[in-house]
Amino acid sequence: MNNYVIFGCPGSGKGTLSQFLCYKDEAFEQVCSGDLLRNEVQKGTSLGQEIDALIKNGKLVDEEIVSQLVISALEDFLKRNKRFTLDGFPQTPYQKKRFDRFVDANLSNSLKYVIIEINPLIALQRMVNRISCVNCSKIYNLEFLPPRVSGKCDFCFFPLKQRNSDKAELAKKRIDLYSDVTEKIVEHYKTEKQTIVFDGSRPLEDCFKDYTTILL
Ligand code: AMP
């Protein structure tokens, strides 16, 4: 039974793929570093305020903080015997070192790396049309994955909002940060034998067909 680590630039559809796998197979649960960080912001602690300021500026959050949050979430999954999809982590050499150590000790036979490659202009277009649930973080797209009722989450009926970090200027900054920092990490995972690469620039229905055949 595989767990998946999903890589791709902001807007490539990592969160959408995680959501899709969790929806199709309830053995999966989603771990998303951005959601873990937003949960900390919601707590309103001074750490949460620091994280909020970095997210609002399109900057990476302190790598020790992110690593601890993600790895303790993954440890919890292992204890509960759940499968996970992880997205948003690792993104830097330090995070990769922490993650690889965790994988070697706990997960070496049950992990696959998924890389979604996408034209950055298409990713940007998707980000500016993206909205998400303020309660459960489910992602929608005004253009090609709209909610059933406008402005309301299909699952919990809470309001849908555009994240500040998806507004055009910040979205572009985040894509640039990905190509400057994270792409090198992803190139490394690309050489691993348990890696699967998808072309995420295609229409979503085509991507979903491949995800169903290859990942489920
Ligand atoms: P996302 O939900 O992937 O769009 O992430 C939202 C924001 O959380 C990013 O713009 C970063 O500020 C922060 N973030 C998410 N994952 C990481 C990470 N692995 N390392 C550092 N910062 C992160």
Side-chain angles (χ1 to χ4, degrees):
M1 291 298 241
N2 289 317
N3 298 288
Y4 292 115
V5 185
I6 305 171
F7 294 102
C9 83
S12 60
K14 300 185 293 296
T16 306
L17 168 56
S18 284
Q19 244 172 250
F20 177 73
L21 294 171
C22 296
Y23 177 72
K24 289 284 182 183
D25 181 346
E26 56 188 29
F28 280 115
E29 282 183 25
Q30 182 179 10
V31 186
C32 164
S33 53
D35 286 345
L36 292 173
L37 292 166
R38 281 182 285 273
N39 290 344
E40 285 303 307
V41 173
Q42 289 294 320
K43 291 181 191 162
T45 56
S46 60
L47 174 64
Q49 285 167 9
E50 263 175 56
I51 294 175
D52 193 35
L54 292 165
I55 293 181
K56 280 190 174 137
N57 283 300
K59 297 200 171 134
L60 290 178
V61 173
D62 178 274
E63 39 194 10
E64 183 55 35
I65 293 172
V66 187
S67 303
Q68 276 182 20
L69 279 174
V70 173
I71 288 172
S72 72
L74 296 177
E75 281 166 349
D76 181 53
F77 274 75
L78 290 183
K79 274 190 215 135
R80 291 189 292 122
N81 254 331
K82 294 290 291 186
R83 295 172 78 185
F84 65 80
T85 65
L86 170 63
D87 69 272
F89 185 89
Q91 292 196 30
T92 64
Y94 176 79
Q95 293 177 18
K96 179 178 182 306
K97 202 160 83 187
R98 291 284 308 265
F99 183 64
D100 289 349
R101 209 184 303 150
F102 175 78
V103 170
D104 289 343
N106 299 285
L107 285 167
S108 42
N109 291 325
S110 60
L111 194 66
K112 287 215 186 285
Y113 301 108
V114 173
I115 300 175
I116 308 177
E117 294 187 326
I118 187 168
N119 175 324
L121 291 176
I122 297 177
L124 184 62
Q125 181 63 21
R126 289 191 185 162
M127 281 166 93
V128 296
N129 280 308
R130 182 157 75 177
I131 45 176
S132 65
C133 175
V134 297
N135 178 48
C136 72
S137 307
K138 287 274 179 311
I139 302 165
Y140 299 84
N141 189 290
L142 292 170
E143 218 177 307
F144 54 81
L145 198 63
R148 283 191 214 111
V149 177
S150 168
K152 294 258 186 273
C153 179
D154 290 353
F155 297 88
C156 66
F157 302 105
F158 272 70
L160 302 176
K161 262 181 72 177
Q162 185 187 41
R163 289 186 194 139
N164 271 332
S165 55
D166 283 345
K167 293 193 172 141
E169 198 184 325
L170 217 49
K172 163 100 181 52
K173 197 167 156 186
R174 291 170 60 209
I175 291 176
D176 290 345
L177 184 64
Y178 175 87
S179 38
D180 291 346
V181 180
T182 310
E183 217 158 55
K184 294 184 195 81
I185 306 288
V186 177
E187 282 307 312
H188 180 91
Y189 284 112
K190 210 169 168 178
T191 62
E192 300 275 334
K193 63 176 185 318
Q194 71 271 41
T195 297
I196 309 163
V197 181
F198 291 101
D199 172 8
S201 298
R202 297 166 306 153
L204 204 59
E205 311 83 78
D206 296 348
C207 295
F208 281 166
K209 269 187 213 148
D210 278 2
Y211 298 156
T212 305
T213 320
I214 299 167
L215 303 180
L216 279 170

